[in-house]
mmCIF file of all heavy atoms in Angstrom:
data_model
loop_
_atom_site.group_PDB
_atom_site.id
_atom_site.type_symbol
_atom_site.label_atom_id
_atom_site.label_comp_id
_atom_site.label_asym_id
_atom_site.label_seq_id
_atom_site.Cartn_x
_atom_site.Cartn_y
_atom_site.Cartn_z
ATOM 1 N N SER A 49 -4.838 34.251 -28.420
ATOM 2 C CA SER A 49 -5.387 32.910 -28.289
ATOM 3 C C SER A 49 -6.871 33.042 -27.963
ATOM 4 O O SER A 49 -7.361 34.096 -27.503
ATOM 5 C CB SER A 49 -4.709 32.134 -27.164
ATOM 6 O OG SER A 49 -4.978 32.805 -25.952
ATOM 7 N N GLY A 50 -7.614 32.017 -28.330
ATOM 8 C CA GLY A 50 -9.012 31.997 -28.123
ATOM 9 C C GLY A 50 -9.779 31.584 -29.392
ATOM 10 O O GLY A 50 -9.142 31.294 -30.375
ATOM 11 N N ASN A 51 -11.094 31.587 -29.263
ATOM 12 C CA ASN A 51 -11.915 31.233 -30.434
ATOM 13 C C ASN A 51 -12.522 32.510 -30.977
ATOM 14 O O ASN A 51 -13.131 33.298 -30.233
ATOM 15 C CB ASN A 51 -12.978 30.288 -30.004
ATOM 16 C CG ASN A 51 -12.488 28.973 -29.549
ATOM 17 O OD1 ASN A 51 -11.601 28.402 -30.223
ATOM 18 N ND2 ASN A 51 -12.929 28.486 -28.428
ATOM 19 N N PHE A 52 -12.376 32.754 -32.270
ATOM 20 C CA PHE A 52 -12.848 33.951 -32.922
ATOM 21 C C PHE A 52 -13.785 33.579 -34.060
ATOM 22 O O PHE A 52 -13.411 32.814 -34.915
ATOM 23 C CB PHE A 52 -11.686 34.809 -33.366
ATOM 24 C CG PHE A 52 -10.686 35.061 -32.290
ATOM 25 C CD1 PHE A 52 -9.414 34.449 -32.328
ATOM 26 C CD2 PHE A 52 -10.989 35.995 -31.320
ATOM 27 C CE1 PHE A 52 -8.510 34.673 -31.309
ATOM 28 C CE2 PHE A 52 -10.029 36.243 -30.266
ATOM 29 C CZ PHE A 52 -8.824 35.583 -30.287
ATOM 30 N N ALA A 53 -14.956 34.169 -33.990
ATOM 31 C CA ALA A 53 -15.929 33.840 -35.038
ATOM 32 C C ALA A 53 -16.140 34.955 -36.027
ATOM 33 O O ALA A 53 -16.119 36.111 -35.631
ATOM 34 C CB ALA A 53 -17.264 33.469 -34.391
ATOM 35 N N ALA A 54 -16.277 34.557 -37.264
ATOM 36 C CA ALA A 54 -16.545 35.543 -38.334
ATOM 37 C C ALA A 54 -17.494 34.921 -39.333
ATOM 38 O O ALA A 54 -17.631 33.713 -39.362
ATOM 39 C CB ALA A 54 -15.235 35.965 -39.044
ATOM 40 N N SER A 55 -18.179 35.743 -40.123
ATOM 41 C CA SER A 55 -19.076 35.170 -41.078
ATOM 42 C C SER A 55 -19.209 36.212 -42.219
ATOM 43 O O SER A 55 -18.767 37.361 -42.110
ATOM 44 C CB SER A 55 -20.448 34.893 -40.538
ATOM 45 O OG SER A 55 -21.102 36.076 -40.152
ATOM 46 N N GLY A 56 -19.780 35.754 -43.376
ATOM 47 C CA GLY A 56 -20.000 36.678 -44.452
ATOM 48 C C GLY A 56 -19.799 36.102 -45.794
ATOM 49 O O GLY A 56 -20.084 34.930 -46.063
ATOM 50 N N ALA A 57 -19.354 36.973 -46.727
ATOM 51 C CA ALA A 57 -19.312 36.672 -48.183
ATOM 52 C C ALA A 57 -18.564 35.319 -48.442
ATOM 53 O O ALA A 57 -17.557 35.050 -47.881
ATOM 54 C CB ALA A 57 -18.590 37.795 -48.895
ATOM 55 N N SER A 58 -19.182 34.569 -49.355
ATOM 56 C CA SER A 58 -18.533 33.316 -49.768
ATOM 57 C C SER A 58 -17.419 33.605 -50.770
ATOM 58 O O SER A 58 -16.532 32.710 -50.929
ATOM 59 C CB SER A 58 -19.547 32.344 -50.334
ATOM 60 O OG SER A 58 -20.313 32.967 -51.373
ATOM 61 N N SER A 59 -17.424 34.764 -51.399
ATOM 62 C CA SER A 59 -16.389 35.051 -52.398
ATOM 63 C C SER A 59 -15.037 35.008 -51.806
ATOM 64 O O SER A 59 -14.057 34.489 -52.461
ATOM 65 C CB SER A 59 -16.636 36.456 -53.001
ATOM 66 O OG SER A 59 -16.636 37.433 -51.978
ATOM 67 N N GLN A 60 -14.844 35.526 -50.551
ATOM 68 C CA GLN A 60 -13.445 35.537 -50.003
ATOM 69 C C GLN A 60 -13.200 34.291 -49.158
ATOM 70 O O GLN A 60 -12.138 34.245 -48.499
ATOM 71 C CB GLN A 60 -13.242 36.832 -49.148
ATOM 72 C CG GLN A 60 -14.315 37.045 -48.141
ATOM 73 C CD GLN A 60 -13.907 38.207 -47.177
ATOM 74 O OE1 GLN A 60 -13.010 38.034 -46.339
ATOM 75 N NE2 GLN A 60 -14.471 39.374 -47.364
ATOM 76 N N LYS A 61 -14.041 33.312 -49.187
ATOM 77 C CA LYS A 61 -13.880 32.115 -48.339
ATOM 78 C C LYS A 61 -12.544 31.360 -48.606
ATOM 79 O O LYS A 61 -11.845 31.052 -47.666
ATOM 80 C CB LYS A 61 -15.084 31.162 -48.568
ATOM 81 C CG LYS A 61 -14.921 29.787 -47.956
ATOM 82 C CD LYS A 61 -15.054 29.799 -46.426
ATOM 83 C CE LYS A 61 -15.161 28.436 -45.841
ATOM 84 N NZ LYS A 61 -14.232 28.212 -44.708
ATOM 85 N N SER A 62 -12.216 31.179 -49.827
ATOM 86 C CA SER A 62 -10.924 30.405 -50.089
ATOM 87 C C SER A 62 -9.710 31.254 -49.642
ATOM 88 O O SER A 62 -8.700 30.709 -49.195
ATOM 89 C CB SER A 62 -10.820 29.991 -51.528
ATOM 90 O OG SER A 62 -11.114 31.054 -52.396
ATOM 91 N N ALA A 63 -9.822 32.567 -49.776
ATOM 92 C CA ALA A 63 -8.703 33.389 -49.295
ATOM 93 C C ALA A 63 -8.673 33.393 -47.784
ATOM 94 O O ALA A 63 -7.576 33.284 -47.179
ATOM 95 C CB ALA A 63 -8.923 34.896 -49.746
#
Side-chain angles (χ1 to χ4, degrees):
Chain A
S49 64
N51 296 313
F52 306 106
S55 66
S58 52
S59 59
Q60 52 169 287
K61 169 75 170 128
S62 47

